[in-house]
Amino acid sequence: MTTLATLYQTNYAVWAQRNADLLRARRFEELDIEHLLEELSDMSKSDRRELHSRLMVLLAHLLKWQFQYPQLNDRWREFDGRSWRSTIVEQRAQLEGLLRQSPGLKSAVEEAIAEAYPAAVRLACKETGLPKSTFPDICPYSSAQILDDDYYPERA
């Protein structure tokens, strides 16, 4: 019979199902603990990376919404920000789903915002051509505002 450790390397789906079956049967001594721990750790890292990535994009678009519009020259004044709004809506929806799927991430949101904000400023600078000094040094939005479907910052 194939050992669980070998299955992990050769057939991940079967490995995962067998471990799940063993857990349900409370046959803990037969579990592939080493690989289970590795997978759980990787899942947590993956969720945190997704949280950071989505916050970075969302924050960059909130910054663009607030700070780029006044910088647009006259020929772009009719711009209504539809593409920015679309990205903001999409990222908020994805974040809502991520936090619903992984409720443990809720406690990491504040820290993730602080970590994602500098990258969001760099992204906003690259996408707008505006200097870094255009944007606040620290995130001007609360986590509640960031995740609020109806919140759009006042245009500067």
Side-chain angles (χ1 to χ4, degrees):
M1 183 165 117
T2 306
T3 67
L4 283 178
T6 303
L7 270 178
Y8 180 76
Q9 302 298 327
T10 59
N11 192 334
Y12 181 85
V14 171
W15 171 86
Q17 186 59 54
R18 287 222 182 125
N19 275 284
D21 292 343
L22 291 170
L23 280 168
R24 280 187 204 89
R26 299 184 155 321
R27 293 169 40 194
F28 304 123
E29 68 283 348
E30 297 175 49
L31 292 170
D32 183 2
I33 299 292
E34 179 182 341
H35 289 120
L36 282 170
L37 290 172
E38 184 179 317
E39 288 300 313
L40 288 171
S41 177
D42 287 350
M43 285 173 54
S44 172
K45 289 176 190 174
S46 174
D47 284 351
R48 287 181 182 270
R49 277 191 302 273
E50 182 177 357
L51 178 64
H52 180 276
S53 176
R54 293 199 178 280
L55 282 169
M56 179 189 65
V57 172
L58 175 56
L59 289 168
H61 279 74
L62 289 172
L63 290 168
K64 288 165 47 173
W65 180 273
Q66 184 172 7
F67 296 99
Q68 186 180 19
Y69 182 78
Q71 305 292 328
L72 296 175
N73 64 32
D74 290 335
R75 68 186 176 99
W76 287 96
R77 285 291 169 196
E78 71 278 359
F79 176 76
D80 63 1
R82 204 170 304 147
S83 65
W84 293 340
R85 184 181 300 270
S86 176
T87 298
I88 290 168
V89 167
E90 171 68 17
Q91 293 306 313
R92 283 179 171 154
Q94 292 295 332
L95 281 164
E96 179 184 352
L98 177 64
L99 293 172
R100 187 176 44 252
Q101 181 181 1
S102 301
L105 285 177
K106 290 177 184 172
S107 64
V109 168
E110 295 292 333
E111 182 181 343
I113 289 169
E115 290 174 2
Y117 185 72
V121 169
R122 285 191 301 276
L123 181 60
C125 289
K126 288 178 183 177
E127 290 183 353
T128 65
L130 296 172
K132 184 179 177 198
S133 61
T134 304
F135 306 105
D137 291 333
I138 59 170
C139 184
Y141 319 116
S142 70
S143 59
Q145 289 171 324
I146 292 166
L147 299 173
D148 181 352
D149 285 340
D150 297 320
Y151 175 75
Y152 290 86
E154 292 292 321
R155 291 177 168 161

